[in-house]
Amino acid sequence: PGTQFLRNDGDPVPDSVLTNADGKPGLKAEYGEYRGGRPGPGAAATPPFATRNETNIKLTETNLPSQAAGKTSFGVQWSGFLTPPDSGDYLIGLRAQGFARLSVDGKQVATAGRSNGIDSRVGRVHLENGQKVALNVNYSSNDGHPHVQLIWTKVSNVPSPEAITAAKNADVVIAVVGITSSLEGEEMPVSEPGFLGGDRTSIDLPQPEEDLVEGLAATGKPLAVVLVNGSALAVNWINEHANAVLEAWYPGEEGGVALADILFGVQNPEGKLPDSFAKRWEENPTFNSYYPQDKTPTSQPQIHYTEGVFLGYRYFDSPSVDKANVQPRFPFGFGLSYTTFAFSGLHLSRTTMHADDPLMVTLTVRNTGKVAGAEVAQVYVGENNPALPRPAYELKAFLKVRMQPGESRTLSLPLNRRSFAYWSEQDHNWKVDPGVFTIYAGDSSASLPLHAEVTLQ
């Protein structure tokens, strides 16, 4: 693993730190009938058919109260207090089969469990030596095989010595880092810095992951970084120090096989970015609306959005952006290959036209490298002197082509009325203005070596 970050496990919480409302060792446990519906952490056991004091939360089929023995479905609620022996940040949670929810001082910290098999989940809390905090755990089981245990571990996000030693003894280091869907998504309890309720408050790679990569790079071994993420990450240090970066997104259950094929050269990478990766969160166009207007990052953004930070190329090419100082780390449409390609011979089927006339864009792509590969030819359209504010150019056509080393292909990409249109707020429809447009072609929004003009009458 390399780091403790995002590991959902821990050691059993010792009996000695748990007390009930009377100050005696243990926790109050209330057992009740499960009331139907989908089993979940909110399935409270009310009214209880059994109440007892338990030394800890470590329930199995063997230590049920007699009233629950033989029941297929039931719920339990544990309540009491935890008094830590040391101050610091802790990861505390549950290991459960069934469904369980843990709250600390009234704040939901972790939700764990599944209907088939045991699941572990932890959340981050700060605890002070000798200061007790209220614990509440709701648990429901409907399969006749109850299992739930209270777990914790102290936070230690320094790179593990085992990972650094492994890197020193390796020929090449492949570091798989990033974030997961347990951090970004619909409303969820998240206690890690840079995340709030399933939303992201930073686009930086989480600091424990950054520290791990820097520690691995310090060994001097060749370093390939695989990014796993659902939305853009700022990877400035990695871009300067890693030998290669492979964007994996969330690749699914066969992702490991696919990534191995790419890393070991069985498959040539041919993907292109569907958004731009900014260097800093402050350079993102949503920054002023996401944070308070004084641009001060806080733990309470004004606007939440759960789909991540997606950013196209249009913002970075806006006239209002200081292009000398604000450029994306990786632009829209960008993606490298194990081979190289060259673009040439841009030709337009007409240079003067009406909006409804078809326009064919022809260009040549050549594989100039030593291995077979695929390139995505991208065609953008921009109006030279628009009457209304418009992006400098917009992607209007693209085509992927696979070629052997030295092979050339002539591609034809069609444009139509919508290729030149913009949405009119006044007319509530797509509109095309007459004028001069530039047609650009290349391999990304930031690499468009070919261009030609067409006039719309």
Side-chain angles (χ1 to χ4, degrees):
T3 176
Q4 185 192 68
F5 182 65
L6 296 185
R7 296 191 68 188
N8 284 301
D9 210 350
D11 302 316
V13 173
D15 300 350
S16 59
V17 303
L18 302 175
T19 54
N20 59 27
D22 297 327
K24 296 180 180 180
L27 300 171
K28 180 181 180 181
E30 299 174 276
Y31 291 76
E33 299 290 347
Y34 171 59
R35 295 299 185 183
R38 181 183 184 274
T46 55
F49 56 67
T51 300
R52 66 181 185 181
N53 192 72
E54 297 181 356
T55 58
N56 207 324
I57 301 176
K58 44 187 176 184
L59 183 68
T60 67
E61 295 177 65
T62 63
N63 59 3
L64 289 169
S66 58
Q67 299 92 326
K71 288 183 177 291
T72 301
S73 301
F74 63 89
V76 193
Q77 178 174 285
W78 288 272
S79 58
F81 299 91
L82 180 150
T83 306
D86 300 300
S87 298
D89 288 347
Y90 288 77
L91 297 176
I92 183 169
L94 300 159
R95 184 182 295 124
Q97 175 166 312
F99 293 86
R101 179 182 63 194
L102 166 67
S103 296
V104 177
D105 274 346
K107 179 182 177 181
Q108 184 173 323
V109 172
T111 300
R114 57 170 69 101
S115 58
N116 181 19
I118 294 175
D119 182 35
S120 297
R121 297 287 169 177
V122 295
R124 185 170 180 155
V125 297
H126 182 79
L127 303 176
E128 290 291 337
N129 176 28
Q131 295 185 12
K132 67 181 182 180
V133 294
L135 287 186
N136 188 279
V137 173
N138 289 291
Y139 172 70
S140 60
S141 174
N142 71 340
D143 64 356
H145 303 288
H147 180 102
V148 61
Q149 184 178 37
L150 184 64
I151 58 176
W152 73 349
T153 185
K154 290 200 73 172
V155 171
S156 176
N157 282 326
V158 298
S160 70
E162 295 85 358
I164 302 303
T165 299
K168 290 178 179 178
N169 295 328
D171 298 315
V172 176
V173 178
I174 300 171
V176 183
V177 295
I179 54 182
T180 76
S181 57
S182 65
L183 294 174
E184 56 174 355
E186 300 297 336
E187 288 292 335
M188 60 176 69
V190 180
S191 52
E192 293 291 341
F195 302 89
L196 180 66
D199 296 325
R200 294 175 61 187
T201 60
S202 170
I203 63 171
D204 292 337
L205 184 69
Q207 194 60 49
E209 301 279 83
E210 185 82 16
D211 293 341
L212 174 62
V213 175
E214 293 185 17
L216 297 172
T219 64
K221 298 301 176 70
L223 173 64
V225 174
V226 177
L227 295 179
V228 179
N229 46 297
S231 52
L233 289 169
V235 286
N236 302 315
W237 192 94
I238 288 174
N239 183 66
E240 298 296 329
H241 295 85
N243 298 86
V245 178
L246 178 60
E247 174 58 71
W249 303 110
Y250 294 147
E253 65 181 343
E254 284 295 312
V257 176
L259 290 170
D261 283 349
I262 293 173
L263 289 166
F264 289 92
V266 176
Q267 173 67 43
N268 195 344
E270 55 188 50
K272 298 287 186 174
L273 283 181
D275 62 334
S276 297
F277 280 31
K279 295 177 182 177
R280 302 187 312 127
W281 177 218
E282 291 79 3
E283 295 176 1
N284 190 292
T286 62
F287 180 75
N288 285 338
S289 61
Y290 194 87
Y291 288 130
Q293 291 303 309
D294 62 2
K295 298 185 179 182
T296 303
T298 70
S299 60
Q300 297 294 329
Q302 289 183 324
I303 299 174
H304 285 189
Y305 57 98
T306 58
E307 299 304 323
V309 183
F310 287 97
L311 178 60
Y313 55 91
R314 300 175 181 180
Y315 164 73
F316 284 108
D317 289 295
S318 169
S320 63
V321 174
D322 179 8
K323 297 180 180 62
N325 297 306
V326 179
Q327 287 293 320
R329 171 58 63 203
F330 301 117
F332 173 92
F334 176 78
L336 297 178
S337 168
Y338 292 150
T339 188
T340 54
F341 300 91
F343 287 76
S344 63
L346 179 67
H347 175 75
L348 304 182
S349 60
R350 62 185 80 220
T351 57
T352 302
M353 57 183 285
H354 295 285
D356 291 327
D357 293 337
L359 177 65
M360 189 66 67
V361 180
T362 305
L363 56 92
T364 299
V365 181
R366 181 171 180 265
N367 183 342
T368 56
K370 298 180 179 180
V371 296
E375 179 60 289
V376 180
Q378 303 171 37
V379 173
Y380 295 75
V381 176
E383 187 173 2
N384 289 8
N385 295 292
L388 297 174
R390 295 186 65 176
Y393 46 79
E394 302 173 77
L395 179 68
K396 294 301 179 180
F398 60 91
L399 182 64
K400 176 178 286 189
V401 57
R402 292 182 172 85
M403 293 180 289
Q404 296 298 316
E407 182 182 0
S408 294
R409 296 279 296 275
T410 298
L411 310 180
S412 296
L413 296 90
L415 299 180
N416 55 30
R417 179 185 179 90
R418 280 293 298 272
S419 303
F420 301 91
Y422 64 93
W423 179 258
S424 171
E425 293 289 347
Q426 182 178 359
D427 299 337
H428 296 284
N429 204 347
W430 291 98
K431 186 176 180 181
V432 178
D433 291 337
V436 179
F437 291 76
T438 299
I439 311 300
Y440 304 90
D443 60 1
S444 82
S445 61
S447 177
L448 299 169
L450 307 181
H451 56 87
E453 289 186 347
V454 60
T455 301
L456 264 66
Q457 298 176 337

